[in-house]
Amino acid sequence: MRRGWIQAALAVGNPPEAVALHSRHSLSSSAFDAYRKKKVPWNQNPTRALALAA
């Protein structure tokens, strides 16, 4: 939940300083830096090939 919120908040243009403050991270935090980096784009998500969505 935390990673998704941070990525979504940054994607719509919120400044990293405000997002870090809201998520209670330091801008120099390695956790915040890891959360803000997307690992796999949604359109390349490997679970999409399973065709489980209705």
Side-chain angles (χ1 to χ4, degrees):
M1 182 89 159
R2 186 176 280 200
R3 177 186 297 267
W5 182 84
I6 289 172
Q7 290 175 356
L10 292 170
V12 296
N14 289 297
E17 298 83 10
V19 176
L21 180 65
H22 187 77
S23 65
R24 299 184 180 190
H25 285 96
S26 166
L27 272 178
S28 59
S29 164
S30 60
F32 183 73
D33 193 42
Y35 286 148
R36 66 195 290 193
K37 294 179 182 171
K38 290 189 175 189
K39 300 296 183 190
V40 177
W42 182 249
N43 64 356
Q44 295 176 9
N45 187 316
T47 60
R48 293 183 73 195
L50 299 175
L52 299 175

